[in-house]
Amino acid sequence: MTRFGYTLMTEQAGPRDLVRHAAAAEAAGFDFEVSSDHFSPWLTAQGHAPNAWVTLGAVSQVTEAVELMTYVTCPTMRYHPTVVAQQAATLGLLSDNRFTLGLGAGENLNEHVVGRGWPPANERHEMLTEAVDIISALFSGEYVNTVGRHFRVDSAKLWDLPEHRVPLAVAVSGQQSVSRFAPMADHLIAVEPDAELCSMWDAASGRPAAEVRKIGQIPICWDPDRDAAVARAHEQFRWFAGGWKVNAELPGPAGFAGATQFVRESDVAESIPCGPDVEPIVKAVSAFWEAGFTDVALVQIGGEHQDGFFPFAEAELLPALREASA
């Protein structure tokens, strides 16, 4: 049976609200929770970007059983991979082994802030490969010394490690990234319901398919008023229409606003289920489990529109998703 998660969208809510939402999502019955890790919102209308790691530390203390995950952290520019490894190990301890480290090659939106420019995709994948190697080595608890093309590590060791090694999941989008990261990571992350990605990962990973999580994500905009939901999705999530090859390259909210100025409300409504009904959401999410995904995290669009969503999710949406996916 597919597992269903809740997204702590740091771009659309402040840290206090995110912590409160995390507790409410667990109470509503979500199986896991993922957090974005941004320095900037996609669009000014979203209005937030608190530190994901500090927030997840607090979340670990107000939840009891729900699994936690970064979705995703870029361990190459804003953060050195040694720092990411330390943060992940600490969160693994604070959460009693409930944390999975989700990694990706990043977006210009978040990484340019450290003033190192924005490298091309192939170089970003090289950097991520080195970073994953360093993080994996540090999770062993031994001293790590390495000199690579992109990173140098000098006598680094993690002194506080959780009882169970923190699982690694990596975001991929095609054959090149799957071939590179499937042998290195435990689980797959992707935002498109692509069955070929899942089969390529299984072939390349060397692990039994039953042991590999394939974790997707989908935005929805629940609201009792469908027109209000469509308007909100357009205001805050029209950037999603660009696709990740575009979204990884633009440097800031002004760029995303310009790039999406001609996206219409009807365009957004065609790609994001909006309104009060369960059926359109189930239909959209079903594409993931039909493609072979084991986990799907939902994004409820609109930071101030979470409280009404949780009773709906508990009473109607999650039961419907579980019944359909079974």
Side-chain angles (χ1 to χ4, degrees):
M1 184 177 292
T2 311
R3 301 168 74 249
F4 299 101
Y6 173 79
T7 300
L8 299 165
M9 193 79 173
T10 59
E11 303 94 299
Q12 67 177 16
R16 291 178 182 270
D17 282 336
L18 289 167
V19 172
R20 184 171 58 82
H21 296 161
E26 180 176 54
F30 282 95
D31 300 306
F32 65 102
E33 298 180 11
V34 306
S35 173
S36 57
D37 186 352
H38 273 235
F39 199 86
S40 173
W42 300 97
L43 293 167
T44 301
Q46 291 178 315
H48 294 277
N51 182 275
W53 290 91
V54 175
T55 303
L56 281 170
V59 166
S60 73
Q61 301 305 292
V62 300
T63 56
E64 296 180 358
V66 70
E67 295 182 22
L68 305 175
M69 181 178 181
T70 47
Y71 200 102
V72 293
T73 287
C74 175
T76 62
M77 297 185 72
R78 268 187 305 150
Y79 310 111
H80 191 279
T82 57
V83 175
V84 172
Q86 184 188 41
Q87 291 174 146
T90 301
L91 195 49
L93 283 165
L94 286 172
S95 65
D96 293 326
N97 301 293
R98 290 185 284 131
F99 179 65
T100 295
L101 176 59
L103 300 173
E107 299 100 13
N108 193 3
L109 174 73
N110 302 300
E111 308 308 319
H112 80 273
V113 297
V114 295
R116 294 176 54 193
W118 185 236
N122 285 348
E123 185 174 349
R124 300 198 302 266
H125 282 162
E126 289 176 2
M127 296 170 73
L128 182 57
T129 301
E130 282 190 28
V132 172
D133 276 337
I134 291 166
I135 292 166
S136 295
L138 285 166
F139 283 170
S140 72
E142 302 299 323
Y143 281 98
V144 175
N145 293 275
T146 184
V147 178
R149 179 180 174 190
H150 301 285
F151 300 106
R152 181 175 188 135
V153 179
D154 182 12
S155 190
K157 173 183 169 66
L158 296 181
W159 292 91
D160 291 276
L161 287 165
E163 179 182 358
H164 301 293
R165 186 186 181 97
V166 174
L168 285 174
V170 176
V172 295
S173 59
Q175 177 68 61
Q176 180 180 348
S177 54
V178 168
S179 297
R180 185 184 293 262
F181 296 112
M184 306 175 69
D186 301 296
H187 307 301
L188 172 150
I189 293 171
V191 293
E192 298 289 340
D194 187 338
E196 188 176 5
L197 278 181
C198 295
S199 60
M200 286 191 299
W201 184 281
D202 287 338
S205 72
R207 296 175 178 82
E211 296 178 5
V212 177
R213 294 171 66 188
K214 300 169 178 82
I215 307 157
Q217 186 183 58
I218 185 170
I220 66 172
C221 196
W222 176 85
D223 194 283
D225 183 335
R226 185 177 186 276
D227 290 340
V230 170
R232 186 167 76 248
H234 178 265
E235 177 193 45
Q236 297 195 20
F237 238 80
R238 66 184 183 275
W239 60 270
F240 193 72
W244 288 102
K245 288 187 178 181
V246 174
N247 294 343
E249 305 300 332
L250 297 178
F256 282 95
T260 59
Q261 62 183 310
F262 298 115
V263 176
R264 301 165 299 179
E265 288 191 359
S266 58
D267 298 325
V268 173
E270 287 178 4
S271 60
I272 297 174
C274 297
D277 298 327
V278 169
E279 290 79 7
I281 302 174
V282 172
K283 181 179 179 181
V285 177
S286 69
F288 281 91
W289 69 66
E290 289 170 358
F293 283 76
T294 61
D295 302 68
V296 188
L298 308 182
V299 181
Q300 161 64 354
I301 297 172
E304 71 280 19
H305 294 273
Q306 306 299 304
D307 291 337
F309 171 70
F310 292 125
F312 164 74
E314 181 177 11
E316 299 182 54
L317 180 56
L318 288 172
L321 287 169
R322 288 175 177 136
E323 180 179 1
S325 66

